[in-house]
């Protein structure tokens, strides 16, 4: 058979087709990088202590709000709820995880353990509590990004070794994305903390967000590939 004859068209039709392609391409470029297939934002919960809650900071300067803005600026359609409680321990987080993480949550950023460490709690206690939190969320179909903590060196080498091992061991056990040290880049740095030299100020929070952002984007990519049955 010969070549199938193409219909003739004038310049106006060609121009219209080009405009259509341009519009479609533009829509692709401005579409959110990550959103739930239903078109709604991905719903994350930041479950943590004062480092998450934004101790002595305005609500819009707390970690969840700053992280949400940073992600949206990069085209990610997300909403991050602040479930940080100042002074909370891993055991406290376990006690409230069911009501702090509502049904319909797509993923959790878990940041707990600093207060256990500051109190010199036996590392076996936070290890057990964090494991139980992750297991409980897994049973509900809610993935976790684990934000690690490190022990103060003045607690001694044995304590430091046992405490610091909690997070990589937990991440390996459950196949979690791990951000090794939540306070990376701001801990002990001049101009990054409140006068107590422990909690991040607004600049410190910005530094934390800049550090964890690639891990959160990797987490969003993982969520996007999962069947949207989380939190159900």
């Amino acid at each position: 058979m010969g070549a199938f004859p193409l219909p003739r068209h004038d310049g106006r039709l060609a121009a219209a087709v080009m405009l259509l392609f341009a519009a479609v391409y533009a829509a692709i470029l401005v579409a959110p990088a990550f959103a739930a297939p239903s078109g709604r934002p991905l719903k994350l919960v930041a479950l943590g202590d004062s480092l998450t809650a934004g101790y002595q900071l305005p609500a819009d300067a707390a970690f969840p709000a700053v992280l949400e803005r940073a992600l949206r600026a990069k085209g990610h359609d997300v909403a991050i709820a602040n479930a940080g409680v100042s002074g909370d321990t891993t055991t406290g987080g376990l006690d409230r995880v069911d009501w702090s993480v509502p049904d319909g949550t797509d993923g959790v950023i878990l940041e707990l353990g600093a207060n256990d460490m500051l109190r010199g709690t036996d590392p076996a206690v936070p290890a057990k509590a964090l494991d139980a939190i992750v297991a409980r969320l897994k049973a509900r179909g809610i993935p976790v990004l684990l934000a690690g903590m490190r022990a103060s060196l003045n607690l001694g080498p044995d304590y430091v070794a046992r405490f610091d091992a909690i997070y990589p061991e937990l991440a390996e056990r459950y196949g979690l994305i791990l951000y090794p040290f939540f306070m990376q880049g701001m801990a002990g740095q001049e101009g990054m903390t409140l006068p107590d030299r422990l909690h991040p100020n607004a600049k410190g929070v910005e530094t934390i967000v800049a550090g964890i952002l690639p891990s959160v984007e990797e987490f969003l990519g993982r969520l996007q590939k999962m069947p949207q049955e989380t939190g159900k």
Side-chain angles (χ1 to χ4, degrees), residues 15-57:
V17 171
M18 291 300 293
L19 285 172
L20 177 60
F21 276 118
V24 171
Y25 184 66
I28 292 173
L29 288 179
V30 301
F34 290 110
S38 63
R40 64 169 176 79
L42 283 168
K43 297 177 182 179
L44 304 183
V45 171
L47 180 66
D49 49 38
S50 56
L51 300 175
T52 289
Y55 178 71
Q56 291 190 355
L57 296 176

Side-chain angles (χ1 to χ4, degrees), residues 47 92-102 132-133 136-137 140:
L47 180 66
L94 175 59
D95 289 342
R96 66 183 175 89
V97 64
D98 290 331
W99 57 265
S100 290
V101 181
I133 291 172
R136 192 169 294 181
L137 291 170
R140 294 174 59 193

Side-chain angles (χ1 to χ4, degrees), residues 10 18 23 39-40 56-57 61 70 82 90 104 108 122 131 142 177 187 191 193 200 205 223:
D10 56 24
M18 291 300 293
R40 64 169 176 79
Q56 291 190 355
L57 296 176
N82 188 340
T90 54
V108 167
D122 185 337
D131 186 286
I142 302 176
I177 293 173
T193 65
V205 173
L223 295 181

Side-chain angles (χ1 to χ4, degrees), residues 188-212:
Q189 298 300 309
E190 189 72 26
M192 294 280 188
T193 65
L194 297 175
D196 64 11
R197 297 184 180 275
L198 291 174
H199 295 91
N201 59 19
K203 185 177 180 181
V205 173
E206 295 280 356
T207 299
I208 290 172
V209 167
I212 200 173

Side-chain angles (χ1 to χ4, degrees), residues 1-226:
M1 296 178 63
F4 188 82
L6 295 174
R8 295 185 178 182
H9 54 76
D10 56 24
R12 288 175 297 179
L13 179 58
V17 171
M18 291 300 293
L19 285 172
L20 177 60
F21 276 118
V24 171
Y25 184 66
I28 292 173
L29 288 179
V30 301
F34 290 110
S38 63
R40 64 169 176 79
L42 283 168
K43 297 177 182 179
L44 304 183
V45 171
L47 180 66
D49 49 38
S50 56
L51 300 175
T52 289
Y55 178 71
Q56 291 190 355
L57 296 176
D60 64 355
F63 168 73
V66 177
L67 177 61
E68 181 179 308
R69 287 198 299 273
L71 289 168
R72 286 185 172 273
K74 299 191 72 174
H76 304 300
D77 192 10
V78 299
I80 306 179
N82 188 340
V85 174
S86 293
D88 212 2
T89 62
T90 54
T91 302
L94 175 59
D95 289 342
R96 66 183 175 89
V97 64
D98 290 331
W99 57 265
S100 290
V101 181
D103 289 344
T105 297
D106 293 300
V108 167
I109 299 172
L110 178 58
E111 174 277 307
L112 282 169
N115 289 311
D116 298 77
M117 179 270 295
L118 291 173
R119 298 176 186 185
T121 303
D122 185 337
V125 175
K128 182 178 179 180
L130 288 170
D131 186 286
I133 291 172
V134 174
R136 192 169 294 181
L137 291 170
K138 181 179 180 180
R140 294 174 59 193
I142 302 176
V144 173
L145 185 159
L146 184 61
M149 185 53 57
R150 291 177 182 165
S152 176
L153 297 180
N154 64 7
L155 292 169
D158 178 66
Y159 188 96
V160 170
R162 292 174 61 211
F163 184 89
D164 289 3
I166 293 171
Y167 299 90
E169 288 176 358
L170 186 61
E172 183 177 1
R173 186 177 307 130
Y174 287 97
L176 308 180
I177 293 173
L178 171 67
Y179 183 63
F181 184 36
F182 186 72
M183 300 174 73
Q184 182 68 40
M186 58 77 46
Q189 298 300 309
E190 189 72 26
M192 294 280 188
T193 65
L194 297 175
D196 64 11
R197 297 184 180 275
L198 291 174
H199 295 91
N201 59 19
K203 185 177 180 181
V205 173
E206 295 280 356
T207 299
I208 290 172
V209 167
I212 200 173
L213 192 61
S215 296
V216 178
E217 289 191 284
E218 181 184 356
F219 186 53
L220 295 182
R222 184 178 291 189
L223 295 181
Q224 190 71 7
K225 294 175 183 177
M226 296 179 62

